[in-house]
Amino acid sequence: MPDISHDPVYLWLTGARPTTAGTGAPTPGAMPARRPAAATASDIARREGLDLGDLSPYQRSDRRARRGRGGRRPTVLQAVTRFATTGLRIPRERAVAHAQRWAASSITEPDEALEWIRLLGLAGLDSALRLRRKGVTPAMEKTRRESEEKARRDARAAQDRVWAEIAARYRPGIAAQLRLNGCTPDMLDRLINGKTVDQLLREGRPVQIVINALRDTHG
């Protein structure tokens, strides 16, 4: 194999001789072993004299750090404490106290604990345990609550339609005053001195007097 130790190209590649005498230009041998990290937006802003404000919300987060050292999943204690302090904004001392109760329970999965907390609140551990003993999961309880809320909304909408029809019978504001005083549509058929509430209101009797008479007569 020929000796290239004195070859100009070899000497330039290894950094033994500069590219041009006296210029001090770098050679491949003088380059850093590792490529320098790319400049961040903050670096460029400082270099150019720009004020970009707080860039922290746009920086990439370290997902592995959030999941704990070595990529381990957080415990119930860690997950509940973090959710209580960052999500619910309660003092850390109170958050830890609640988290310790959840961690000491039979709920061992952090995700399940957080689902129960979102449904029942931090103080809802006893309710969560009762539901678990009945075989109820967080998803089942959430579905039940959503169904009940929908039923309440539907009932309210039906009442609104009935009262809208009643309001058309009388002077403006009478139906609203009846409703605010706890009257129900069926009370319009009750008798006061031989006449129904509906008849008295149609005759123009003052609504509050009719309501008072209704209470006195029917409790």
Side-chain angles (χ1 to χ4, degrees):
M1 185 175 185
D3 180 14
I4 61 172
S5 59
H6 298 290
D7 185 273
V9 176
Y10 172 78
L11 294 175
W12 177 72
L13 289 173
T14 57
R17 178 180 298 175
T19 53
T20 305
T23 64
T27 64
M31 299 295 289
R34 297 182 61 183
R35 182 180 179 181
T40 64
S42 298
D43 297 333
I44 297 172
R46 282 194 297 269
R47 186 179 64 206
E48 300 297 331
L50 302 175
D51 182 12
L52 301 182
D54 182 15
L55 297 176
S56 57
Y58 307 98
Q59 295 174 351
R60 295 180 60 185
S61 59
D62 187 353
R63 295 181 181 177
R64 289 179 300 176
R66 288 187 298 174
R67 295 188 61 178
R69 295 179 180 178
R72 292 193 301 270
R73 295 179 62 205
T75 63
V76 171
L77 179 65
Q78 293 169 334
V80 174
T81 300
R82 184 181 304 119
F83 178 77
T85 53
T86 61
L88 303 180
R89 304 289 184 182
I90 70 173
R92 182 172 179 79
E93 183 177 353
R94 284 179 52 205
V96 171
H98 283 292
Q100 287 173 339
R101 288 195 66 228
W102 284 88
S105 73
S106 56
I107 300 175
T108 58
E109 287 295 323
D111 290 343
E112 182 187 356
L114 294 179
E115 288 177 7
W116 282 120
I117 290 171
R118 291 187 182 98
L119 283 172
L120 307 173
L122 273 177
L125 176 60
D126 293 338
S127 298
L129 295 177
R130 281 196 299 271
L131 290 169
R132 287 179 96 245
R133 286 193 291 269
K134 296 177 182 178
V136 178
T137 65
M140 294 165 62
E141 177 64 10
K142 182 179 180 182
T143 299
R144 184 189 69 80
R145 290 178 173 229
E146 289 175 346
S147 298
E148 287 185 351
E149 178 60 27
K150 183 178 183 301
R152 283 192 293 268
R153 288 198 304 267
D154 292 345
R156 178 77 181 193
Q159 288 183 357
D160 290 342
R161 288 192 294 271
V162 171
W163 280 107
E165 295 173 358
I166 292 172
R169 305 178 191 173
Y170 314 122
R171 297 190 308 275
I174 290 180
Q177 194 167 348
L178 290 169
R179 196 172 184 181
L180 287 173
N181 280 272
C183 296
T184 56
D186 62 288
M187 290 181 178
L188 296 174
D189 296 325
R190 295 184 181 180
L191 292 174
I192 299 176
N193 297 327
K195 292 185 177 182
T196 65
V197 172
D198 178 65
Q199 288 175 320
L200 294 172
L201 293 173
R202 287 177 184 271
E203 291 174 359
R205 299 291 180 87
V207 62
Q208 193 58 53
I209 291 177
V210 174
I211 291 172
N212 292 339
L214 183 63
R215 289 171 177 168
D216 293 339
T217 306
H218 298 278

